[in-house]
């Protein structure tokens, strides 16, 4: 007899594994199907985020930042270090160990919560009062039954027709997290989040990095003032060569290099030779191998599974969460959806507030925001007041040698309700949490201004920016 579950989750990235754990916590008999294998052929949970995304990239960002600190930033503290070297294999091994700990941690969490891990590829077979699914594993195909299905099959890197990824010379995120040597000249197509984060890693370790970006403006999604500050810091300050408004032409792979033809914003033709090329031009939803069409699961023209605000698909008791559905492709957005869906299946009132999902770019300095940008508010005709406070006036920032950047709060001109918070500076990824809490609670700028913030701390800049909304910053 085939195994039967209340909930079967397909995919164990942050959206899927969190959905499975929450469903099991709520007393539902739950399984999670996952097909991922490590380069050594070991089955692994955690999806893109844990294996080749958020977690390994942050490990390398930290290692490369430490190297940059010791090489360029310690001097001002009176600390000199001679003979400093880095060992790339050790750096990569540390990253892999962190990944192993985290993915193994999910296996432990599954055990603790009673989630059954079914190893292999999941696909729909038929519907009815229960869903029939197949799990195609190494040793054969198993048919299982599910009362409810949560599709969490994630996304894959978008590719360019002229740039076939071999993860040796032309790399997607997976290859770019595992270079076996520092390229002398690294090309990156796409100056988005991956391009800037991984471009920064390899620049700090010694590569000349050129980013070729199609769009003529930098960091379109960010608040314009943040994008302008970031542009200054990343180009003049750090030496990233970012070309905007380019049109990529022929890409030719040689034996040990890649040649890229492109025209710049002025229409001038260039040819650049790179030891390695990263292609980071966005990601596409992944529904391959699901047999979605066999059961009539609706997929939109861009490849996303169609869902309503509660992540319900067009099929009864089939939900979809994470990168495979609309909304930002962020781990924490998928996690929220996973929890919401599990709670709905259990008869509760799950809910995601899509207006309060933070964005973070782990560059140095970090960039983080939540809510609306100034340009969005202007386009919507919303009247707002702005409070801005620079880290250069914050004692903790100076002590940490992180005077760059600022916090900017946008508040409704009439009600003072916070509409958006934008940070560029040290610890922005942590500072933004206060803004998310404030927005979730419908706080006004004055609410933050009246809260006692520890001194000296970077978070005081948040309070000062809130005071600045009312033109009464105390320290600047
Ligand atoms: P995924 O993590 O893609 O997981 C989907 C899983 O489903 C995979 O394990 C896949 O093997 C499995 N699967 C697919 N089809 C099947 C099938 N038919 N049967 C069985 N299993 C299947 N986001 C952040 O919020 N913060 C960050 O710092 C961050 N950094 C990133 C850095 C990089 C380099 C990259 C590439 C991404 C980063 N992201 C980050 C984005 C983040 O990784 C994704 O938003 C997140 O992983 C999406 O989670 P998911 O569960 O929807 O899908
Ligand atoms: P992205 O959408 O951030 O950036 C892609 C960039 O490539 C864009 O600026 C786009 O204009 C450009 N582009 C597209 N086609 C091009 C072409 N033909 N030539 C030149 N430029 C071109 O996507 P990215 O960096 O690939 O990352 C994918 C997703 O992964 C992100 O959107 C994000 O959701 C997630 N991610 C999140 C991180 C975080 O939260 N810190 C870190 C890394 C990834």
């Amino acid at each position: 007899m085939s195994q039967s579950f209340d909930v079967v989750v397909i995919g164990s990235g942050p959206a899927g594994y969190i959905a499975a754990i929450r469903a099991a916590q709520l007393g539902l008999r739950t399984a999670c199907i996952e097909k991922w294998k490590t380069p050594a052929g070991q089955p692994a949970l955690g999806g893109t985020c844990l294996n080749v995304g958020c977690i390994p990239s942050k490990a390398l960002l930290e290692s490369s930042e430490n190297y940059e600190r010791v090489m360029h930033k310690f001097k001002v503290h009176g600390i000199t270090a001679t003979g400093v070297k880095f060992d790339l294999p050790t750096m990569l091994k540390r990253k892999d160990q962190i990944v192993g700990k985290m993915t193994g941690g999910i296996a432990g969490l599954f055990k603790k919560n009673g989630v059954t891990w079914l190893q292999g590829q999941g696909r729909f077979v038929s519907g009815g009062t229960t869903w029939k699914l197949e799990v195609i594993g190494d040793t054969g195909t198993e048919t299982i039954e599910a009362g409810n299905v949560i599709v969490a099959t994630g996304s894959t890197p978008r590719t360019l027709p002229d740039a076939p990824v071999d993860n040796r010379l032309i790399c997607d995120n997976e290859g770019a997290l595992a270079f076996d040597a520092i390229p002398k000249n690294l090309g990156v197509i796409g100056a988005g989040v991956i391009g800037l984060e991984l471009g920064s890693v390899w620049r700090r370790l010694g590569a000349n990095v050129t980013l070729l970006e199609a769009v003529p403006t930098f960091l379109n999604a960010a608040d314009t003032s943040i994008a302008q500050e970031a542009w200054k810091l990343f180009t003049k300050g750090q030496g990233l060569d970012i070309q905007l408004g380019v049109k990529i032409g022929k890409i030719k792979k040689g034996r040990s290099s890649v040649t890229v033809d492109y025209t710049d914003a002025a229409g001038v033709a260039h040819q650049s030779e790179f030891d390695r090329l990263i292609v980071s031009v966005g990601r596409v939803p992944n529904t391959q191998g699901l047999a979605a069409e066999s059961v009539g699961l609706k997929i939109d023209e861009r490849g996303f599974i169609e869902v309503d605000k509660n992540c319900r698909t067009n099929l009864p008791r089939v939900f979809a969460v994470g990168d495979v559905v609309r909304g930002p492709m962020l781990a924490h957005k998928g996690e929220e959806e996973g929890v919401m869906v599990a709670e709905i299946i259990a008869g509760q009132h799950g809910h995601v507030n899509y207006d309060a999902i933070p964005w973070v770019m782990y560059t140095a300095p970090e960039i983080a925001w939540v809510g609306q940008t100034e340009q969005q508010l202007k386009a919507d005709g919303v009247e707002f007041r702005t409070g801005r406070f620079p880290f250069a006036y914050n004692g903790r920032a100076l002590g940490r040698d992180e005077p760059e950047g600022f916090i900017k709060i946008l508040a409704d001109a009439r009600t003072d309700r916070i509409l958006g918070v934008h940070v560029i500076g040290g610890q922005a990824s942590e500072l933004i949490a206060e803004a998310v809490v404030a927005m979730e609670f419908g706080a006004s700028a004055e609410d933050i201004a009246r809260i006692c913030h520890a001194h000296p701390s970077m978070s005081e800049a948040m309070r000062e920016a809130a005071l600045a909304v009312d033109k009464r910053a105390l320290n600047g």
Side-chain angles (χ1 to χ4, degrees), residues 10-16 33-36 44 46-55 57-58 120-123 152-155 173 177 194 197-198 283 286 288-290 321-324 328-332 334 360 362:
I10 309 177
S12 73
I33 311 174
E34 176 57 65
K35 64 175 183 180
W36 195 285
T48 304
C49 170
L50 274 77
N51 290 283
V52 292
C54 325
I55 299 303
S57 59
K58 270 77 241 179
Q121 183 186 317
R123 75 171 180 209
T153 46
S155 63
N173 55 295
L177 286 162
I194 294 181
E197 287 189 3
L198 295 184
R283 296 180 63 83
N286 170 38
Q288 261 188 3
L290 253 189
V321 294
D323 281 9
V324 78
M329 287 184 165
L330 297 172
H332 42 281
V360 178
Y362 295 83

Side-chain angles (χ1 to χ4, degrees), residues 249-260:
K250 263 211 185 109
I251 298 173
K252 226 172 96 200
K253 197 161 81 172
R255 264 160 53 94
S256 57
S257 66
V258 185
T259 310
V260 180

Side-chain angles (χ1 to χ4, degrees), residues 181-314:
I182 309 300
K184 188 163 179 302
N185 293 307
L186 171 64
V188 182
I189 303 187
V193 202
I194 294 181
L196 289 169
E197 287 189 3
L198 295 184
S200 299
V201 165
W202 299 111
R203 180 201 59 77
R204 289 176 200 140
L205 298 178
N208 299 313
V209 179
T210 306
L211 294 110
L212 303 173
E213 166 60 49
V215 172
T217 44
F218 183 54
L219 283 183
N220 252 340
D223 188 90
T224 305
S225 61
I226 298 277
Q228 283 166 352
E229 183 77 1
W231 173 262
K232 214 170 59 197
L233 293 168
F234 297 162
T235 55
K236 278 198 203 96
Q238 300 177 6
L240 284 177
D241 177 7
I242 309 174
Q243 304 287 328
L244 300 176
V246 307
K247 197 162 182 311
I248 303 290
K250 263 211 185 109
I251 298 173
K252 226 172 96 200
K253 197 161 81 172
R255 264 160 53 94
S256 57
S257 66
V258 185
T259 310
V260 180
D261 291 346
Y262 65 94
T263 47
D264 64 21
V268 180
H270 299 263
Q271 185 173 74
S272 294
E273 193 179 346
F274 302 112
D275 312 273
R276 306 261 178 145
L277 182 70
I278 300 176
V279 180
S280 48
V281 292
R283 296 180 63 83
V284 290
N286 170 38
T287 52
Q288 261 188 3
L290 253 189
E293 62 294 339
S294 70
V295 287
L297 181 63
K298 248 196 192 161
I299 291 173
D300 72 17
E301 66 286 352
R302 292 191 305 151
F304 291 99
I305 295 179
E306 270 187 23
V307 287
D308 68 7
K309 69 178 194 325
N310 291 132
C311 291
R312 289 178 202 276
T313 68
N314 64 312

Side-chain angles (χ1 to χ4, degrees), residues 48-222:
T48 304
C49 170
L50 274 77
N51 290 283
V52 292
C54 325
I55 299 303
S57 59
K58 270 77 241 179
L60 288 185
L61 278 156
E62 191 62 28
S63 295
S64 63
E65 265 195 81
N66 278 339
Y67 180 64
E68 176 132 308
R69 282 183 196 118
V70 73
M71 292 299 284
H72 303 292
K73 303 219 163 148
F74 278 11
K75 225 175 181 174
V76 70
H77 294 268
I79 302 168
T80 45
T82 50
V84 177
K85 285 192 284 206
F86 68 84
D87 178 52
L88 186 57
T90 305
M91 235 177 236
L92 296 177
K93 193 166 143 205
R94 172 182 175 273
K95 172 207 67 165
D96 292 339
Q97 281 169 343
I98 293 170
V99 168
K101 262 191 203 147
M102 296 293 294
T103 56
I106 300 179
L109 288 171
F110 273 10
K111 238 185 218 145
K112 182 177 148 200
N113 289 283
V115 175
T116 304
W117 173 11
L118 302 170
Q119 291 173 8
Q121 183 186 317
R123 75 171 180 209
F124 284 98
V125 178
S126 61
T129 40
T130 57
W131 289 96
K132 272 207 172 55
L133 302 168
E134 275 178 355
V135 183
I136 306 158
D138 287 344
T139 53
T141 298
E142 184 189 353
T143 304
I144 58 167
E145 289 185 0
N148 300 270
V149 180
I150 305 175
V151 182
T153 46
S155 63
T156 52
R158 191 162 84 79
T159 51
L160 296 177
D162 262 4
V165 168
D166 60 6
N167 276 334
R168 191 179 68 86
L169 290 179
I170 302 181
C171 301
D172 58 19
N173 55 295
E174 195 167 342
L177 286 162
F179 289 166
D180 56 4
I182 309 300
K184 188 163 179 302
N185 293 307
L186 171 64
V188 182
I189 303 187
V193 202
I194 294 181
L196 289 169
E197 287 189 3
L198 295 184
S200 299
V201 165
W202 299 111
R203 180 201 59 77
R204 289 176 200 140
L205 298 178
N208 299 313
V209 179
T210 306
L211 294 110
L212 303 173
E213 166 60 49
V215 172
T217 44
F218 183 54
L219 283 183
N220 252 340

